[in-house]
Amino acid sequence: MPTIKVYRNRDEWLLHRDGLGGSDAGAVCGYGFRSKNELWEEKVGIRIPKDIGDDERVSFGNAVEEPMRSLYRVMYPQYTLDFTPYTVLRRNDHHQFMFYTPDGWLAENETGRRGLGEGKSATCSSKADWEKWRDKIPQGYFCQVLHGMFVGDFEFADLFAILLNQERDATIRRYHFEREDCETDIQWLVEQETEFWDSVQNGKRPGAPIRF
């Protein structure tokens, strides 16, 4: 089981996010808004992380988080969804550098199984954008889900997404992942993150990412 810490506010939470978090997992593997080298430079302290707090898409995502949790509870009553802000889960073994802040904690009412709840929002302006969400989720988000299931020892994960078209009409989708079906991918990701963190510790710039 991971260690669980709940911090009093955002500033305190930010101070204890040292290591690799869920949003870092995609960058390690070559997906996301930062390159692998940019992430390494941030972690060794030679690049200041870009502040995306004022980004319109980020602001929208933050604003819809709680409404999405409420909608999920109504649509999927077979699960109990809880949420505690400023929570950090961290591995308590030799992967202590891996941490995660979940969007929600799920419990399957019938079995008591523990799951990870993740909420995402995206604007899909082209056919290619929609294709990333057809029967799957974007690879960067998949890396994040794998990372979260590993860090939190979750047995499954649900990613609940609100997808907007150019007219701002919304489509709601749910993507379910069973831990046992993802174990090979999880172990591969852990290897990639461990190798990357070693490069941070020894100050040696990492090689090109190896993608799925």
Side-chain angles (χ1 to χ4, degrees):
M1 293 291 290
T3 58
I4 303 173
K5 294 287 184 66
V6 179
Y7 297 99
R8 292 173 295 180
N9 52 53
R10 177 177 172 79
D11 289 340
E12 189 176 273
W13 170 72
L14 288 172
L15 289 173
H16 293 86
R17 297 172 70 252
D18 54 306
L20 295 178
S23 61
D24 298 324
V28 168
C29 301
Y31 305 104
F33 64 91
R34 291 169 296 176
S35 71
K36 187 176 182 180
N37 268 314
E38 288 172 338
L39 179 65
W40 180 85
E41 290 174 356
E42 289 181 10
K43 298 302 180 181
V44 299
I46 62 175
R47 175 188 288 266
I48 298 174
K50 183 180 179 181
D51 184 1
I52 59 174
D54 293 331
D55 184 280
E56 181 181 353
R57 292 168 297 180
V58 174
S59 297
F60 177 83
N62 291 336
V64 298
E65 272 191 13
E66 192 53 47
M68 288 177 69
R69 278 189 282 266
S70 297
L71 183 58
Y72 182 94
R73 292 183 181 106
V74 173
M75 294 180 67
Y76 304 102
Q78 65 269 40
Y79 299 105
T80 296
L81 169 59
D82 293 317
F83 172 68
T84 303
Y86 310 124
T87 297
V88 173
L89 311 181
R90 189 177 291 276
R91 295 288 300 190
N92 57 13
D93 54 16
H94 56 287
H95 296 107
Q96 286 185 9
F97 64 90
M98 298 175 71
F99 69 90
Y100 201 76
T101 294
D103 289 336
W105 308 69
L106 295 174
E108 191 174 54
N109 296 332
E110 186 174 339
T111 64
R113 293 196 310 150
R114 297 172 58 255
L116 167 67
E118 270 299 316
K120 295 296 178 187
S121 61
T123 298
C124 297
S125 303
S126 66
K127 184 177 179 180
D129 289 338
W130 286 106
E131 187 64 25
K132 294 176 183 177
W133 292 93
R134 187 167 67 86
D135 301 323
K136 61 183 183 298
I137 62 176
Q139 290 285 49
Y141 291 157
F142 184 53
C143 291
Q144 184 172 346
V145 168
L146 297 176
H147 178 101
M149 282 197 289
F150 177 73
V151 173
D153 282 334
F154 293 113
E155 297 174 84
F156 66 94
D158 266 7
L159 187 144
F160 197 53
I162 177 170
L163 308 178
L164 304 178
N165 63 18
Q166 288 181 301
E167 288 72 39
R168 307 294 282 178
D169 297 321
T171 297
I172 303 295
R173 295 186 183 175
R174 172 199 177 217
Y175 302 85
H176 183 81
F177 303 91
E178 288 289 333
R179 171 74 177 258
E180 62 182 6
D181 296 332
C182 300
E183 202 61 56
T184 298
D185 290 331
I186 288 173
Q187 293 308 314
W188 178 86
L189 178 66
V190 171
E191 290 174 5
Q192 301 307 308
E193 292 195 46
T194 300
E195 182 178 313
F196 178 86
W197 191 247
D198 287 344
S199 75
V200 172
Q201 297 296 96
N202 61 35
K204 184 178 179 180
R205 194 175 290 271
I210 301 174
R211 296 189 173 190
F212 286 102

